[in-house]
mmCIF file of all heavy atoms in Angstrom:
data_model
loop_
_atom_site.group_PDB
_atom_site.id
_atom_site.type_symbol
_atom_site.label_atom_id
_atom_site.label_comp_id
_atom_site.label_asym_id
_atom_site.label_seq_id
_atom_site.Cartn_x
_atom_site.Cartn_y
_atom_site.Cartn_z
ATOM 1 N N PHE A 15 88.543 98.226 176.259
ATOM 2 C CA PHE A 15 88.494 97.862 174.974
ATOM 3 C C PHE A 15 89.936 97.582 174.446
ATOM 4 O O PHE A 15 90.769 98.140 175.056
ATOM 5 C CB PHE A 15 87.733 98.815 174.023
ATOM 6 C CG PHE A 15 88.371 100.164 174.002
ATOM 7 C CD1 PHE A 15 89.328 100.465 172.995
ATOM 8 C CD2 PHE A 15 88.041 101.160 174.902
ATOM 9 C CE1 PHE A 15 89.846 101.804 172.982
ATOM 10 C CE2 PHE A 15 88.589 102.444 174.899
ATOM 11 C CZ PHE A 15 89.514 102.760 173.864
ATOM 12 N N PRO A 16 90.133 96.740 173.377
ATOM 13 C CA PRO A 16 91.478 96.442 172.955
ATOM 14 C C PRO A 16 92.036 97.613 172.055
ATOM 15 O O PRO A 16 91.618 97.959 171.052
ATOM 16 C CB PRO A 16 91.290 95.300 172.080
ATOM 17 C CG PRO A 16 89.896 95.321 171.663
ATOM 18 C CD PRO A 16 89.153 95.997 172.730
ATOM 19 N N ALA A 17 92.990 98.362 172.715
ATOM 20 C CA ALA A 17 93.524 99.550 172.167
ATOM 21 C C ALA A 17 94.276 99.266 170.875
ATOM 22 O O ALA A 17 94.440 100.092 170.052
ATOM 23 C CB ALA A 17 94.420 100.300 173.199
ATOM 24 N N ASP A 18 94.693 98.048 170.682
ATOM 25 C CA ASP A 18 95.427 97.691 169.450
ATOM 26 C C ASP A 18 94.327 97.380 168.297
ATOM 27 O O ASP A 18 94.855 97.453 167.132
ATOM 28 C CB ASP A 18 96.248 96.380 169.662
ATOM 29 C CG ASP A 18 95.446 95.136 169.969
ATOM 30 O OD1 ASP A 18 94.417 95.306 170.635
ATOM 31 O OD2 ASP A 18 95.804 94.064 169.520
ATOM 32 N N ARG A 19 93.138 97.213 168.579
ATOM 33 C CA ARG A 19 92.135 96.974 167.446
ATOM 34 C C ARG A 19 91.123 98.115 167.363
ATOM 35 O O ARG A 19 90.556 98.263 166.250
ATOM 36 C CB ARG A 19 91.399 95.717 167.826
ATOM 37 C CG ARG A 19 92.288 94.528 167.797
ATOM 38 C CD ARG A 19 91.493 93.202 167.680
ATOM 39 N NE ARG A 19 92.246 92.036 167.928
ATOM 40 C CZ ARG A 19 93.032 91.490 167.046
ATOM 41 N NH1 ARG A 19 93.125 92.016 165.848
ATOM 42 N NH2 ARG A 19 93.756 90.365 167.358
ATOM 43 N N LEU A 20 90.889 98.881 168.425
ATOM 44 C CA LEU A 20 89.922 99.922 168.349
ATOM 45 C C LEU A 20 90.379 101.195 168.919
ATOM 46 O O LEU A 20 91.321 101.216 169.780
ATOM 47 C CB LEU A 20 88.606 99.510 169.205
ATOM 48 C CG LEU A 20 87.826 98.234 168.787
ATOM 49 C CD1 LEU A 20 86.780 97.949 169.817
ATOM 50 C CD2 LEU A 20 87.168 98.555 167.445
ATOM 51 N N ASN A 43 92.524 106.230 174.558
ATOM 52 C CA ASN A 43 92.771 105.254 173.518
ATOM 53 C C ASN A 43 94.104 104.525 173.743
ATOM 54 O O ASN A 43 94.215 103.430 173.250
ATOM 55 C CB ASN A 43 92.848 105.966 172.107
ATOM 56 C CG ASN A 43 91.453 106.250 171.600
ATOM 57 O OD1 ASN A 43 90.565 105.425 171.739
ATOM 58 N ND2 ASN A 43 91.348 107.389 170.901
ATOM 59 N N LYS A 72 91.019 99.623 164.023
ATOM 60 C CA LYS A 72 92.363 99.808 163.755
ATOM 61 C C LYS A 72 92.901 98.643 163.042
ATOM 62 O O LYS A 72 93.897 98.712 162.239
ATOM 63 C CB LYS A 72 93.172 100.204 164.931
ATOM 64 C CG LYS A 72 92.795 101.470 165.528
ATOM 65 C CD LYS A 72 93.439 101.667 166.933
ATOM 66 C CE LYS A 72 94.911 101.757 167.035
ATOM 67 N NZ LYS A 72 95.316 102.058 168.364
ATOM 68 N N LYS A 73 92.490 97.416 163.410
ATOM 69 C CA LYS A 73 93.112 96.250 162.965
ATOM 70 C C LYS A 73 91.962 95.072 162.950
ATOM 71 O O LYS A 73 91.095 95.132 163.778
ATOM 72 C CB LYS A 73 94.215 95.802 163.923
ATOM 73 C CG LYS A 73 95.048 94.563 163.616
ATOM 74 C CD LYS A 73 96.276 94.511 164.429
ATOM 75 C CE LYS A 73 96.126 93.595 165.565
ATOM 76 N NZ LYS A 73 97.297 93.409 166.406
#
Side-chain angles (χ1 to χ4, degrees):
F15 61 92
D18 64 325
R19 297 199 191 277
L20 297 172
N43 279 324
K72 293 167 65 176
K73 186 167 101 176

